[in-house]
Amino acid sequence: MSEQYGGLKKTARDIRAQALERAYASKLGHLGGTFSAVELLVALYKIPYIRNLGHDGDSINRDRFILSKGHACLALYPILLDLGLIDSEKLDSYGRNGGLGGQLDISIPGVDWNTGSLGHAVGIGCGMALGVSSPPRDIRIITLLGDAELSEGSVWEAIAFAGDFALSGLTVIVDRNRLAVTSEIGDDSIYKELGIKLDSFGWSAMEIDGHSFPEIDQALSTAVESNRPTLIVANTVKGRGVSFMERNLRWHHGAPSAEEYKAALEDLSFSTEGA
Amino acid sequence: MQDMRDAFFDVICENALHDDLIYLVTNDMEVHSLERFSSKAPDRLINVGVAEQNMINVAAGLASTGKRVVVFGISSFIAFRAYEQIRMNLCSMNLPVTIVGLGHGYSFSFDGPTHHAVHDLAVLRTIPELEILNPGDSSVAAASAEYALTAAGPLYVRVDKGEYPNLHGSSSDLTAGFAVLKPVQKITIVATGSLVVTALKVAQTLEERGVLVGLVDAYRVQPLPVGLAKELQPASMVLVAEEGVSSGGLYSAVRDVSQVSSEVRYLGSGIPGPQRIAYGSREWMVEQEGLDEASLFAEISQLAELPSEASQVLRG
């Protein structure tokens, strides 16, 4: 098991390096929220928790994943490359006119939904979970949200709906990196006793270290077997893996300079060793 | 005569009873024709409560798993509150979801401007992927329901309450997108939705007085049929009648597809002004906007340069 996680850690480092390289080359990207989500995405795609990927074959009988925080796409593209869903030429098109962009769309193999606007994925996931429940099928519906996204009222409309309809096939992961674009997202309102709130809506809730593969694996294995919709608060660090980007609002979006790029690459080689 | 809601939902209900893939989704609305469906297939009638954003998102998610989804609710709350969900999750995803907007124009006349669906066509026309049907009679309403169950992409259908005649016979072919009810003349009315019946009465009254006026039922507002422009070529005055704002509505759509020239006058007989904060009957509201039969008759009489006493006939 630990050997498996060792492989995942290496993959996570590679993903960060590739994301950094693409952002540096194109001068475009949201590295802070990309790096906070890397372990979550690697676990989902590589353990894997998302099965029967891609648009080929049966369009109905496959798991679905919506990266609601689509601006973390730079972490996803290298995973899709690793899985053979896109080629390196496609990855290299990032930031070029007509190439891969700063959000996801369904023309990209392995991508289930067009992204860019927050607050939609839980409701869409509800519809998907309802759709695959009749006739009942072993299909997982998983979404990954940013933590600022829970301010969107439509997320709570969907949380109430999923509870009312007991949509057990739905798993929502929240990348709790504690930083929005301009401000910190503390524990005083939405995140205060979130587990109790969710329980009252008929959900299961968990809180984990979102950079720990054993914890992510454990939480997801519980979530996909749960008889309730499940929300996992994954505590993460925005900019994780590059010391000067960590917990730094400046790195919500923006590209590194040549010096920063070099320093970040060196940082990446060491900083996540212990994760 | 048939209530337009029955004309539309009887077709939906009959099909949905026999097809497990059809789901109905609503924001706490009831429709008489669906009672039989809700008692026989309650699992496929999804009431999301008063949560329109979620309603469209749930519909989108359902449709992405192969279900055929018909959403229904009050037009204004869907078109405006859930605009982004419609634009992003139905239209950019090109999903076969039909939104049935109930509350055509001023049909919720006593509930104030929050309920008046007079901007819905203008707002939703800004999404090119969305097809828009606005039936003006029971046969087009029924045909729209048939179409809703086979359409390849997203569709918005305005379905009115109240009794409507059958103006088009039993044909369920909506391919043309419009129907000529009175051959195009120098003065021709292009009407949609509730104004089709009103315009037909006006045209008939004028005909009795020896004035021939053309009338086209433009039931497909988007994409507006290109053939309509060709059909309108003999006209020198085109009056576009709709129970909604002219700017952005059918009036704008007609001008968009027409070769606008100085030879042809286009007149928007729709709702011109700001939101009407007033309460009364629908007939009264429509009259206030000059969209009742007498007002239209007077307007066209003036265009036709009829003696003023003739234009007073309908006003009594």
Side-chain angles (χ1 to χ4, degrees):
Chain A
M1 213 55 169
S2 61
E3 203 171 287
Q4 179 199 8
Y5 295 136
L8 295 176
K9 284 180 199 172
K10 181 182 176 309
T11 302
R13 271 196 302 277
D14 291 347
I15 299 297
R16 282 192 174 86
Q18 290 185 70
L20 184 71
E21 185 189 343
R22 299 307 347 141
Y24 175 61
S26 65
K27 305 292 174 210
L28 293 163
H30 289 80
L31 287 175
T34 296
F35 286 172
S36 64
V38 168
E39 279 78 14
L40 294 167
L41 289 168
V42 169
L44 285 167
Y45 280 87
K46 295 290 285 185
I47 288 179
Y49 280 94
I50 304 162
R51 304 160 302 177
N52 306 320
L53 273 168
H55 295 300
D56 294 337
D58 192 333
S59 62
I60 303 294
N61 291 304
R62 57 183 179 78
D63 295 337
R64 279 136 173 103
F65 172 65
I66 305 175
L67 180 58
S68 193
K69 49 172 294 180
H71 55 278
C73 55
L74 265 180
L76 186 57
Y77 296 142
I79 295 174
L80 298 179
L81 174 71
D82 180 71
L83 293 169
L85 289 163
I86 62 172
D87 56 24
S88 56
E89 197 181 339
K90 184 79 173 169
L91 181 62
D92 287 343
S93 76
Y94 174 82
R96 294 184 191 154
N97 291 335
L100 287 174
Q103 293 287 346
L104 298 164
D105 68 77
I106 55 171
S107 74
I108 304 163
V111 172
D112 281 315
W113 213 269
N114 297 340
T115 70
S117 181
L118 301 176
H120 297 278
V122 184
I124 295 160
C126 286
M128 290 174 164
L130 194 61
V132 301
S133 68
S134 178
R137 278 171 290 199
D138 175 28
I139 295 175
R140 298 167 181 168
I141 311 296
I142 302 174
T143 69
L144 174 56
L145 279 62
D147 57 348
E149 193 170 351
L150 264 65
S151 297
E152 293 278 9
S154 52
V155 171
W156 292 93
E157 291 182 4
I159 285 173
F161 180 88
D164 284 346
F165 283 77
L167 297 175
S168 58
L170 178 65
T171 298
V172 174
I173 306 166
V174 176
D175 179 357
R176 180 83 172 103
N177 63 31
R178 308 184 74 88
L179 291 178
V181 178
T182 64
S183 58
E184 187 180 346
I185 303 156
D187 295 313
D188 47 353
S189 58
I190 287 171
Y191 287 91
K192 186 174 184 181
E193 296 176 338
L194 181 62
I196 295 170
K197 288 173 188 156
L198 288 163
D199 180 64
S200 70
F201 276 105
W203 284 60
S204 296
M206 286 179 260
E207 187 170 355
I208 60 164
D209 176 348
H211 298 301
S212 160
F213 283 113
E215 288 195 33
I216 299 168
D217 195 5
Q218 175 65 41
L220 284 172
S221 66
T222 305
V224 297
E225 295 300 326
S226 173
N227 57 6
R228 288 176 147 206
T230 301
L231 186 141
I232 300 167
V233 174
N235 289 312
T236 60
V237 173
K238 197 156 181 171
R240 167 77 171 185
V242 175
S243 55
F244 61 88
M245 292 185 183
E246 289 188 355
R247 300 181 182 85
N248 187 341
L249 282 173
R250 140 104 170 83
W251 289 99
H252 174 79
H253 64 270
S257 65
E259 295 73 30
E260 286 168 332
Y261 174 58
K262 190 165 167 255
L265 269 184
E266 283 172 14
D267 233 11
L268 277 179
S269 309
F270 303 103
S271 65
T272 53
E273 284 290 340
Chain B
M1 297 288 273
Q2 190 181 18
D3 190 291
M4 192 189 281
R5 291 167 299 185
D6 293 340
F8 184 88
F9 282 106
D10 280 353
V11 173
I12 299 290
C13 182
E14 204 49 49
N15 282 276
L17 281 171
H18 302 108
D19 184 348
D20 289 348
L21 291 178
I22 298 175
Y23 277 64
L24 295 164
V25 181
T26 183
N27 56 345
D28 202 27
M29 280 289 277
E30 268 185 337
V31 175
H32 170 70
S33 298
L34 292 177
E35 282 170 8
R36 202 153 48 98
F37 178 75
S38 61
S39 62
K40 290 197 174 163
D43 291 348
R44 288 188 286 121
L45 177 58
I46 310 298
N47 182 2
V48 302
V50 282
E52 290 75 20
Q53 298 175 74
N54 196 47
M55 173 166 69
I56 299 300
N57 285 346
V58 166
L62 268 172
S64 75
T65 66
K67 311 298 186 191
R68 163 105 13 212
V69 186
V70 177
V71 175
F72 63 98
I74 294 179
S75 299
S76 58
F77 299 127
I78 303 177
F80 313 134
R81 193 173 197 122
Y83 177 84
E84 187 183 66
Q85 284 75 13
I86 296 169
R87 188 176 80 97
M88 280 297 304
N89 299 325
L90 299 186
C91 296
S92 91
M93 294 292 295
N94 195 35
L95 289 167
V97 172
T98 292
I99 299 168
V100 182
L102 300 164
H104 195 117
Y106 282 131
S107 67
F108 287 104
S109 62
F110 200 59
D111 296 303
T114 53
H115 287 61
H116 300 159
V118 297
H119 302 89
D120 57 336
L121 298 182
V123 164
L124 294 176
R125 271 191 65 236
T126 60
I127 313 174
E129 300 93 335
L130 185 67
E131 196 167 346
I132 301 175
L133 295 173
N134 191 28
D137 82 321
S138 59
S139 67
V140 173
S144 298
E146 298 277 1
Y147 182 69
L149 298 173
T150 57
L155 174 69
Y156 178 71
V157 187
R158 239 187 180 197
V159 173
D160 202 1
K161 63 181 174 186
E163 300 285 310
Y164 274 83
N166 178 341
L167 302 177
H168 301 277
S170 59
S171 169
S172 61
D173 185 4
L174 300 178
T175 314
F178 68 97
V180 177
L181 296 178
K182 296 276 179 192
V184 170
Q185 307 289 336
K186 186 171 162 238
I187 300 174
T188 293
I189 308 170
V190 179
T192 192
S194 60
L195 265 293
V196 173
V197 169
T198 309
L200 185 60
K201 287 178 189 164
V202 170
Q204 281 166 346
T205 311
L206 285 162
E207 199 173 330
E208 286 161 16
R209 284 162 176 71
V211 179
L212 292 180
V213 170
L215 174 59
V216 177
D217 174 0
Y219 54 79
R220 196 177 78 208
V221 174
Q222 181 154 286
L224 197 71
V226 177
L228 179 62
K230 197 176 168 200
E231 190 73 38
L232 289 173
Q233 272 173 1
S236 57
M237 280 188 254
V238 176
L239 188 136
V240 182
E242 58 197 306
E243 194 172 334
V245 293
S246 293
S247 179
L250 179 67
Y251 170 73
S252 294
V254 168
R255 288 185 61 111
D256 283 351
V257 297
S258 304
Q259 295 281 335
V260 177
S261 77
S262 56
E263 311 288 307
V264 185
R265 278 178 71 195
Y266 291 88
L267 299 152
S269 201
I271 292 167
Q275 296 174 61
R276 187 171 283 278
I277 303 181
Y279 310 89
S281 71
R282 184 177 185 183
E283 292 69 26
W284 179 78
M285 296 288 283
V286 164
E287 195 182 308
Q288 298 298 301
E289 301 289 7
L291 293 175
D292 59 310
E293 191 184 337
S295 302
L296 274 186
F297 182 86
E299 190 174 357
I300 293 170
S301 296
Q302 202 175 15
L303 293 174
E305 294 171 348
L306 280 187
S308 62
E309 62 270 22
S311 64
Q312 292 301 313
V313 170
L314 281 175
R315 288 202 182 279

